[in-house]
Amino acid sequence: MTGATIVGLVAFAACLSLLAWPLGGYLARVFDGTTRATRVLGPVERLIYRVGGVDRDEDMPWPRYATAVVVFNLAGVVVVYLLQRLQGSLPGNPNDLHAVPSPVAWNTAISFVSNTNWQAYSGEATMSHLVAALALTVQNFVSAATGIAVLVALVRGFSRAEARGVGNFWVDLTRATLYVLVPMAIVMALILVWQGVPQTGAGHLDVAALDGGGHGQITVGPVASQVAIKQLGTNGGGYFGVNSAHPLENPTPLTNFVQCLAILLIPAALCLAFGRMVQRRRQGVAFLVTMWLLFVPFAAVTIHQELSATPAIAAVDDAGAVAIDVSAGNMEGKEQRFTAAEAALWASATTAASNGSVNSMHDSYQPLAGAATIALMGLGEVAFGGVGSGLYGLILFAIIAVFLSGLMIGRTPEFMGKKVEAHEMKLASIGVLVPAVALLIGTALACSTSQATTLGNGGAHGFTEMLYAMTSAANNNGSAFGGLTASGPFWATTQGILMWLGRFGALLPVLALAGALARKKRVPVTSGTLPTDSSLFVAFLVATVLLVGALTLVPALALGPIAEHLAR
């Protein structure tokens, strides 16, 4: 690893930490209603409530809060599906695209509603401007806002005592969208336009061939606005088929840096906002440190592997028959404008943060680098995870860690002033295990059917392609390893089910947990209380996440990328 690479990684970590701190404070003020932004956006917020018939003072019990979440998202699935199927008859279709095939439309609807944004299609060749704007971009905002809203409800579970309500979903959804996501997306879209990302209603540009022998067309559209929210909302999903490797979606080193930063920014800031909202700032910092400790080793493995030459290239270099610059690392499948380290950092950030965008082909990564990206997803997307979902996923692990700690010392476990009993432990376990079980069952189904015919490779690498696809779907990541045809009925249907299970199989237990915690009395701190903001507990929490991840993934990784690495 060169000095320039190390400086770049340190600069990235420093920028992320510096930006997350003030943003965390702002997020806390948004959800406790004390932000000065209400002077500007307050009238808009009140108008939304009036038009929607929302009683902003209603304090919902968790079942009503959960019902609102599910109904809202089911309605989103129906709207996104219908817009795709009716696309050919709707305006805003300058390239005369036809209706999206039913399996792909179903898969895409679930994918964008669940904040997964897996794409079984090529963006510019499949979606009209109207569908991209009304279906995909809208879901980029509201699916991210849903994750934040659920986290805020869980925060109230900790901050309240002997209460029935966990807040109002419609108010939390509106504030997350209006005060957080929309302003940040506007700023980021302007930066992207400044750097050359198109934002236009035109369908294409007519361009002359460089050799003067004719002309061609380049597809354009409202790219900057979709790219901005897809990164900030940890959505993913490229406007173009090659996603963030496309020169009009990610044109410069600055856009690459800014987008990579945007992917992790809100998940990091939410840790600090959590600490402020529960008036335990050290607890928020402890969660953020936990995320870094989980992220850095896997990112280091990925970067180290991609900065190394593949065995085939190294053998040619050793023979001296052809001059090859092995110092560039593994550049197969990578956009030549970015270095191997930049591509590997992007892959680590996106697989850690429930973001499906890619700027290189993961199928071409070295086996252990591929294993690291699968592991970051398979740990439950908790380092840093999706907006809202990453932190509430980590809190589920924290409850399990607290419960195990209590068993070791023979005390009733306590977490942030609330006793953790069997009911809370069951809910946390369900939220952690549903995505893990779903990815394993999905991979087993793919192996046991004739899906090998849809793969680009056989053997251990082909198994890795299936394992990655199912891990990505069940953990709502959305990135594609590549090497398989995902638009067929099996993959479109199976992954749609996994994406729904992964999202709501964790989200609903979290809301039930919020309700249970809100009803509990507050327990005073005593000399026997386990400090959960200490370095010792952070280490135990990291070990808990890794243990659950290892039990889930190690056998599967041994059959795929590890076997491929050993066979080289």
Side-chain angles (χ1 to χ4, degrees):
M1 190 177 294
T2 65
T5 301
I6 294 173
V7 169
L9 295 175
V10 171
F12 174 79
C15 288
L16 180 61
S17 300
L18 290 175
L19 291 173
W21 199 269
L23 180 59
Y26 174 72
L27 291 169
R29 291 191 293 276
V30 165
F31 292 103
D32 65 18
T34 59
T35 175
R36 294 179 181 177
T38 53
R39 298 175 184 175
V40 178
L41 298 174
V44 180
E45 182 184 1
R46 290 190 290 276
L47 177 62
I48 292 172
Y49 298 150
R50 192 175 300 120
V51 172
V54 174
D55 178 7
R56 63 184 300 174
D57 296 323
E58 180 185 9
D59 192 19
M60 297 178 173
W62 83 263
R64 179 163 169 71
Y65 198 106
T67 301
V69 172
V70 173
V71 169
F72 177 72
N73 282 276
L74 283 174
V77 171
V78 173
V79 170
V80 174
Y81 179 84
L82 290 178
L83 283 171
Q84 294 175 86
R85 296 292 292 155
L86 299 173
Q87 170 174 267
S89 306
L90 296 175
N93 187 7
N95 293 328
D96 296 324
L97 298 172
H98 300 296
V100 179
S102 181
V104 175
W106 139 267
N107 182 282
T108 304
I110 299 288
S111 175
F112 278 73
V113 167
S114 64
N115 198 244
T116 308
N117 297 41
W118 170 276
Q119 290 178 288
Y121 61 90
S122 181
E124 73 269 38
T126 308
M127 299 295 175
S128 70
H129 290 180
L130 183 74
V131 173
L134 289 186
L136 308 188
T137 303
V138 167
Q139 285 303 320
N140 283 347
F141 279 100
V142 296
S143 66
T146 297
I148 296 175
V150 172
L151 173 65
V152 172
L154 181 58
V155 171
R156 296 192 184 103
F158 287 109
S159 62
R160 294 179 176 180
E162 300 179 76
R164 292 185 66 248
V166 295
N168 186 312
F169 170 68
W170 306 113
V171 172
D172 293 338
L173 180 77
T174 301
R175 288 184 175 169
T177 306
L178 185 62
Y179 288 91
V180 181
L181 297 173
V182 169
M184 293 181 70
I186 290 174
V187 172
M188 186 166 172
L190 290 174
I191 294 174
L192 295 177
V193 170
W194 167 50
Q195 287 293 299
V197 178
Q199 180 70 24
T200 174
H204 58 265
L205 293 176
D206 293 320
V207 295
L210 292 177
D211 61 2
H215 71 279
Q217 292 182 335
I218 297 176
T219 300
V220 293
V223 184
S225 57
Q226 186 173 335
V227 172
I229 186 56
K230 87 166 188 177
Q231 308 298 26
L232 288 166
T234 60
N235 296 281
Y239 190 91
F240 298 101
V242 293
N243 214 298
S244 296
H246 197 288
L248 292 184
E249 191 167 322
N250 189 13
T252 68
L254 179 61
T255 60
N256 195 68
F257 184 84
V258 170
Q259 290 186 47
C260 202
L261 200 62
I263 290 168
L264 301 181
L265 181 56
I266 294 180
L270 282 170
C271 293
L272 304 173
F274 175 86
R276 288 172 177 265
M277 294 171 73
V278 298
Q279 298 183 343
R280 294 169 182 256
R281 295 193 182 192
R282 283 175 54 90
Q283 188 66 64
V285 174
F287 283 141
L288 184 56
V289 171
T290 302
M291 289 182 175
W292 275 115
L293 291 176
L294 289 167
F295 173 76
V296 169
F298 291 103
V301 169
T302 307
I303 294 171
H304 173 72
Q305 287 291 307
E306 293 310 297
L307 285 175
S308 305
T310 63
I313 292 178
V316 172
D317 182 62
D318 291 342
V322 180
I324 297 178
D325 182 11
V326 297
S327 65
N330 175 25
M331 291 301 292
E332 179 186 321
K334 294 183 176 62
E335 167 62 35
Q336 299 300 300
R337 293 174 297 126
F338 308 127
T339 66
E342 289 172 331
L345 176 62
W346 183 289
S348 300
T350 53
T351 50
S354 182
N355 185 297
S357 64
V358 294
N359 72 356
S360 59
M361 179 58 73
H362 295 186
D363 201 18
S364 296
Y365 276 33
Q366 305 233 36
L368 293 186
T373 58
I374 293 173
L376 281 170
M377 294 186 290
L379 292 178
E381 296 281 14
V382 297
F384 291 73
V387 285
S389 61
L391 182 53
Y392 70 61
L394 186 61
I395 292 173
L396 295 180
F397 278 105
I399 288 174
I400 294 173
V402 166
F403 193 84
L404 295 175
S405 303
L407 291 178
M408 291 179 183
I409 61 177
R411 286 182 56 87
T412 302
E414 302 166 11
F415 186 45
M416 293 196 297
K418 298 295 180 73
K419 284 188 176 181
V420 176
E421 299 173 291
H423 181 62
E424 290 76 36
M425 181 61 183
K426 291 175 183 174
L427 292 172
S429 300
I430 292 171
V432 167
L433 293 178
V434 165
V437 172
L439 82 87
L440 294 176
I441 292 177
T443 305
L445 280 174
C447 292
S448 60
T449 59
S450 58
Q451 300 313 310
T453 58
T454 66
L455 302 176
N457 298 274
H461 195 78
F463 178 80
T464 303
E465 292 169 346
M466 293 188 287
L467 175 64
Y468 190 104
M470 294 303 184
T471 305
S472 177
N475 288 280
N476 299 128
N477 180 269
S479 66
F481 196 69
L484 61 83
T485 304
S487 58
F490 173 82
W491 289 103
T493 303
T494 307
Q495 290 198 297
I497 295 171
L498 292 189
M499 287 186 280
W500 187 265
L501 283 175
R503 178 70 160 178
F504 294 94
L507 183 152
L508 293 177
V510 167
L511 288 175
L513 182 64
L517 292 171
R519 288 194 300 272
K520 287 178 175 288
K521 296 179 180 178
R522 193 170 304 285
V523 179
V525 177
T526 68
S527 58
T529 300
L530 174 69
T532 56
D533 56 4
S534 66
S535 56
L536 177 63
F537 183 76
V538 168
F540 194 66
L541 178 55
V542 169
T544 303
V545 175
L546 293 177
L547 177 61
V548 174
L551 292 173
T552 305
L553 285 175
V554 166
L557 292 175
L559 294 173
I562 295 176
E564 184 182 0
H565 173 76
L566 295 175
R568 297 195 305 172

